[in-house]
Amino acid sequence: MRDTRESRLLLVLLIAIAFALITVDIRGGQESPVDGARQAAAAVFGPVENGVASAVDPIGNAIGAVRDSGERHNRIAALEQENAALKARLGSDDRNRNRLRELDAMLKTAGAGQYGIKGAEVIAIGAAQGFSWTVTIDVGARDGIRRDMTVLNGSGLVGRVTTVGPSTSTVLLANDPDFTVGTRMEKTDELGFATGQGDRPLLVQLLNGKAKVNKGDRLVTFGSQADKPFVPGVPVGEVVRVDPAGGGLTRNVYVRPYVGFTKLDIVGVVVQAPRSDPRDMVLPQKPKPAPTVTVTVTPPPPDGQQAGRQQGEAQQKPDGQAADRQTPDGQAADRQKPDGQAADQPNQQADQQPQDQGDATP
């Protein structure tokens, strides 16, 4: 439409009519004169509005989903972080409980042997010393650690200190092939030297080639001069195999160490040796054997004795007294004659004879 004077007047007129209808509709309320026109318009344009809404709703839903996806993603990310934090907390609690158990066992071992120890944590395994079995601990010269000190944990001998730095130290483990420690057998006091064999049992050469050794015997450290590098009485392990005596000067036995060298965590460096040799006091208590259960089975009596027992029970009187109760002279009252009749039958026959004779008299 062209912008002319007539079109402007027409627009103003339509606007005035619209305002007038709105005013009349508002004042009329429910009885508005334009209510019929409104209903007719609703009947005409209602289906069109529904169709347009149906066509537009998926687009609106998609836009809403895109808008909400960011918030949902943030919520999922927050939940994942909370789950990770809970898992880490649970894992740390389990690890802390395990470390507390290890620390408690180590303190009990140190107390039993009267060792003065410095607690440490294993922070590295297998440092740059080639293929040797070593660990690095988080204590060093600043903590009073010196070379050739004994290292132990709650289970027994771990190794000895070989290198000391300002704040860390290197420990050569007892299962290293270059590791050797003097040992003493429990009770028999047989001496020997234990050598590491990696992941295999320790090889112990006993100085007495005729020593009597059995599977399950236990060993402790013999101790070194001036208690370096080894203090006495630290548990070493348990015999698992004994080579037959070949008449040599020494005898080989194989010992399973008490310490698990692949799962070390809390250890202690012995900084003060005991005043006296603790001997076998640090060894763990042997498990008590399970009690043997003894079952006694009583065999049933032979058939003849059982039959006689049943017959004797059947001959008891109603008053509960046995039929074979003895008389004062020690003889049984019901002792039978050779013909099988009871001993009291002649008396009954004697009582019946007079009556029978009287009846027979004519």
Side-chain angles (χ1 to χ4, degrees):
M1 178 181 290
R2 295 180 180 180
D3 186 11
T4 60
R5 184 177 180 181
E6 290 79 4
S7 60
R8 293 178 181 177
L9 292 174
L10 180 60
L11 178 61
V12 171
L13 180 61
L14 291 175
I15 293 174
I17 295 173
F19 276 108
L21 292 175
I22 292 172
T23 303
V24 172
D25 185 30
I26 293 174
R27 291 183 177 180
Q30 295 181 354
E31 297 179 357
S32 174
V34 298
D35 185 58
R38 185 188 300 111
Q39 293 179 359
V44 173
F45 295 105
V48 177
E49 291 177 353
N50 290 333
V52 173
S54 301
V56 174
D57 281 344
I59 300 175
N61 293 335
I63 295 173
V66 172
R67 186 189 308 113
D68 296 338
S69 62
E71 298 178 358
R72 190 177 297 110
H73 177 73
N74 294 335
R75 180 58 177 167
I76 293 174
L79 292 175
E80 290 178 352
Q81 291 179 356
E82 292 178 3
N83 290 335
L86 290 175
K87 290 180 180 179
R89 186 179 304 172
L90 292 175
S92 63
D93 290 343
D94 294 339
R95 185 168 182 268
N96 289 335
R97 282 193 292 267
N98 184 49
R99 298 182 70 182
L100 285 175
R101 286 193 295 267
E102 292 184 5
L103 180 60
D104 182 65
M106 185 180 67
L107 293 177
K108 288 181 179 179
T109 299
Q114 296 300 309
Y115 307 123
I117 63 172
K118 180 69 175 180
E121 180 182 358
V122 175
I123 58 176
I125 299 177
Q129 285 87 6
F131 295 98
S132 60
W133 291 73
T134 60
V135 295
T136 302
I137 56 178
D138 63 348
V139 292
R142 298 173 183 172
D143 305 291
I145 307 302
R146 300 292 181 266
R147 181 182 170 89
D148 288 336
M149 284 185 169
T150 306
V151 181
L152 52 80
N153 66 0
S155 300
L157 180 65
V158 173
R160 63 182 176 89
V161 178
T162 57
T163 305
V164 180
S167 59
T168 61
S169 302
T170 301
V171 178
L172 183 67
L173 300 181
N175 65 336
D176 187 272
D178 293 333
F179 186 94
T180 302
V181 58
T183 61
R184 180 178 57 81
M185 296 288 300
E186 181 186 12
K187 296 181 180 179
T188 63
D189 292 340
E190 294 288 350
L191 302 180
F193 294 95
T195 303
Q197 296 192 111
D199 54 358
R200 294 180 296 170
L202 305 176
L203 172 62
V204 179
Q205 289 184 334
L206 297 179
L207 301 182
N208 183 5
K210 297 181 181 180
K212 295 182 179 180
V213 186
N214 298 316
K215 184 178 179 180
D217 290 347
R218 303 184 295 179
L219 296 88
V220 297
T221 57
F222 178 67
S224 306
Q225 186 177 3
D227 298 317
K228 287 187 178 182
F230 302 107
V231 294
V234 180
V236 175
E238 184 177 307
V239 175
V240 293
R241 183 163 65 92
V242 181
D243 285 348
L249 298 178
T250 61
R251 189 175 188 184
N252 294 339
V253 298
Y254 299 88
V255 175
R256 180 180 65 244
Y258 287 122
V259 174
F261 297 104
T262 59
K263 51 182 180 180
L264 293 173
D265 189 8
I266 302 298
V267 298
V269 182
V270 181
V271 295
Q272 184 178 359
R275 294 182 179 179
S276 60
D277 188 350
R279 306 291 295 178
D280 302 331
M281 296 178 60
V282 190
L283 284 169
Q285 295 183 356
K286 289 186 176 181
K288 296 181 180 180
T292 304
V293 180
T294 303
V295 179
T296 304
V297 180
T298 303
D303 297 340
Q305 295 181 4
Q306 187 174 4
R309 184 182 301 174
Q310 294 177 355
Q311 182 177 2
E313 293 175 355
Q315 291 178 356
Q316 291 182 354
K317 292 182 179 182
D319 58 356
Q321 298 179 355
D324 58 350
R325 184 174 57 187
Q326 295 181 348
T327 57
D329 59 355
Q331 297 179 353
D334 59 347
R335 185 172 57 188
Q336 296 180 351
K337 291 183 178 181
D339 57 354
Q341 296 179 355
D344 56 351
Q345 288 181 358
N347 296 330
Q348 296 177 0
Q349 292 178 358
D351 295 338
Q352 293 177 359
Q353 284 180 0
Q355 185 177 358
D356 295 338
Q357 291 178 0
D359 296 337
T361 306

